[in-house]
Amino acid sequence: MAAASSLLSEDQFLCSICLDVFTDPVTIPCGHNFCKTCITHHWNINVKTQCPVCNKQFDRRPELHVNTFISEMAARFRQSVKIKASSSSQQHQADTGEVLCDVCTETQTKALKSCLVCLASYCETHLEPHQRVTGLKIHTLIDPVENLETRVCKKHERPLELFCKTDQMCVCQFCTESSHKLHQIVPLIEEYEGKKAKLGKIEAKVQQMIQERRLKIQELKQSVELSKETADRVTASSVQVFTALIQSVEGSLVELIETITERHNTTEKHVEGFIKELEEEISELMKRSTELKQLSHTKDHLLLLQSFPSLIPAQHTKDRTEVRVHSSYEGAVRTAVSQLEETLSKELKKLCVDVEVKRVQQFAVDVTLDHETANHHLILSDDGKQVSYGDMKQNLPDNPKRFYLYSVLGKQSFSSGRFYYEVQVKGKTAWTLGVARESVNRKDTFITLSPTNGYWTVCMSKRNQYEACAGRSIRLSPKSKPQRVGVFVDYAEGLVSFYDIDAAALIYSFTGCRFTEKLYPYFNPWHNSDGKNSTPLTICSSYHSD
């Protein structure tokens, strides 16, 4: 059968009406064969019942039965053609990326359309029957595509032309009359347009997500770079501190060795003196011992009695039984270790604070003063970086933001995250710095600066005293007079910290704060005090890492 079918030509398996391989072939009385659907449709649209090939007329429409032999042969031919065409098409498509005509038997040409009914793609020549034959004109043609079988209902072998919104799947017309009978069915094109519109929105969202992730990548890269810079600074600072510590340890060891050596030398000299004295005494005693032995053997009574007093040991002879050599150096070692521990503790504490300062400086922000909040006596620089007290009250418009106190806020507000800024206070005899919440009272002539009233600040008073304004003033004792003060806020952690930048020391921290609104940098340069406090507070444009 396979050998016989291979000898048959394509024309023997083509319906003369649709010019395609037979589908459900039937034989009419004159002996000609047609697709059952094609001949039925032909007789339905024509008055006469006759053969389309030989024009033989029949008195009545013949009863049609599928010719199983021709059907089997046509199926085998269709399968062999499909395998051959698929192999050739795949090879050509792999080379050119084009969909090829399934009917061309020799050189396959580029397909112009694909038919969802015939499940085949046609070049311009073989597409002609679909444009001419009435029965073929109703077939659904689309732009050429591969794998047409995926576009046909596997159950009914009909084109998937509809969409079931209930089950969210493509269906054929027969599906709507059976398993999807009561479902919400719409044309494929309608669902396509709706999904296409959604795709536009999804694409926009995806692009937004891409952009967000690119920005995040950029932010992370910047964070890594900043971390690297900070790590380098901290490493250099650590090397410097630990080198100094090592030198200090080595110096302390040298001093300790010198102290021990000096003590040992002193002890050695002292002992040598004792030994010399003892040796002299031994020599004297041995001399007397000899004299005593000689006298003990004498028979001369007078001589013994006359010599006896001079041979008795002198009363002033020293008692050496309590003489001891003390070789304990634990006291010196203990003193040296104690001093070294104190030095190490100071240096390590300084290093830790220095590392902390470097860390918070990563969150530095650009702060400028808000002219609308400044008291009438305050003079602000044009760039908004300096504020000082002016003896003359300025003619400024009043507004709800302006302070009656000698205060001014920064323009920038913060309601999340962390931020940091630095202020130079060198040359001033009094100042107040910190942060204030947006709703603070700005109109009273006297306000207690405290967290309860919305202020987290530290100050230097005219009495050269430093205080944390926490409701009740907390006296601070910085080891040196701060020249530059850093202010760091962690909104989520409820933390406000103040640092002496030059000394790398923590001045004070407010902890456990509960922030519920915007925070603003707060500045108060205080009164001039006859020119003694005329130096302005200056916001550092950028922090220093030296």
Side-chain angles (χ1 to χ4, degrees), residues 8-202:
L8 298 175
S9 66
E10 178 183 5
D11 294 339
Q12 292 174 291
F13 294 101
L14 295 183
C15 171
S16 57
I17 296 177
C18 67
L19 300 180
D20 201 355
V21 179
F22 288 124
T23 301
D24 295 336
V26 295
T27 304
I28 62 176
C30 64
H32 292 108
N33 301 305
F34 306 94
C35 295
K36 183 177 182 180
T37 303
C38 293
I39 190 63
T40 301
H41 185 265
H42 176 76
W43 285 340
N44 286 340
I45 63 175
N46 290 281
V47 178
K48 296 179 180 181
T49 302
Q50 61 182 21
C51 175
V53 176
C54 64
N55 294 325
K56 180 177 177 61
Q57 293 189 13
F58 306 105
D59 296 333
R60 61 179 182 177
R61 182 178 295 189
E63 186 176 354
L64 302 177
H65 297 283
V66 176
N67 188 322
T68 56
F69 176 74
I70 296 177
S71 177
E72 182 180 350
M73 294 294 291
R76 289 176 176 274
F77 180 79
R78 184 185 291 109
Q79 184 65 23
S80 65
V81 169
K82 182 178 292 186
I83 293 173
K84 180 180 177 182
S86 174
S87 176
S88 176
S89 174
Q90 288 176 1
Q91 181 60 41
H92 184 83
Q93 188 174 16
D95 297 335
T96 64
E98 298 176 346
V99 178
L100 303 180
C101 177
D102 292 326
V103 181
C104 294
T105 56
E106 295 182 359
T107 303
Q108 286 183 298
T109 57
K110 181 181 178 180
L112 187 63
K113 291 288 182 180
S114 293
C115 178
L116 293 179
V117 178
C118 302
L119 296 183
S121 298
Y122 301 102
C123 63
E124 185 175 4
T125 301
H126 291 105
L127 183 65
E128 187 271 336
H130 280 75
Q131 299 170 335
R132 174 177 54 81
V133 180
T134 304
L136 298 178
K137 287 183 178 180
I138 63 174
H139 288 192
T140 303
L141 299 176
I142 62 174
D143 290 333
V145 293
E146 285 292 320
N147 303 321
L148 282 167
E149 61 274 7
T150 62
R151 298 171 179 268
V152 175
C153 176
K154 294 181 179 179
K155 183 177 181 181
H156 302 106
E157 297 185 353
R158 289 294 184 271
L160 298 171
E161 301 176 309
L162 302 170
F163 186 81
C164 176
K165 296 180 76 68
T166 305
D167 292 335
Q168 289 293 301
M169 61 183 296
C170 297
V171 296
C172 70
Q173 183 63 45
F174 284 1
C175 290
T176 64
E177 299 172 0
S178 55
S179 56
H180 297 266
K181 187 173 183 179
L182 300 178
H183 293 182
Q184 184 181 0
I185 307 297
V186 296
L188 208 62
I189 184 65
E190 180 180 326
E191 186 65 20
Y192 162 81
E193 294 295 341
K195 287 289 194 295
K196 190 175 182 180
K198 288 183 179 180
L199 282 177
K201 295 180 180 179
I202 294 173

Side-chain angles (χ1 to χ4, degrees), residues 438-493:
E438 186 176 28
S439 63
V440 293
N441 182 355
R442 310 184 188 196
K443 298 305 180 183
D444 285 353
T445 54
F446 177 80
I447 298 174
T448 300
L449 300 183
S450 68
T452 303
N453 293 329
Y455 296 89
W456 292 266
T457 61
V458 296
C459 70
M460 174 188 178
S461 68
K462 295 176 182 178
R463 297 185 298 275
N464 203 30
Q465 294 178 346
Y466 295 88
E467 297 176 350
C469 306
R472 57 178 183 83
S473 294
I474 299 175
R475 185 69 61 85
L476 306 175
S477 301
K479 294 184 178 180
S480 61
K481 184 177 181 180
Q483 306 295 305
R484 193 156 37 105
V485 177
V487 182
F488 172 70
V489 177
D490 188 327
Y491 196 97
E493 291 295 325

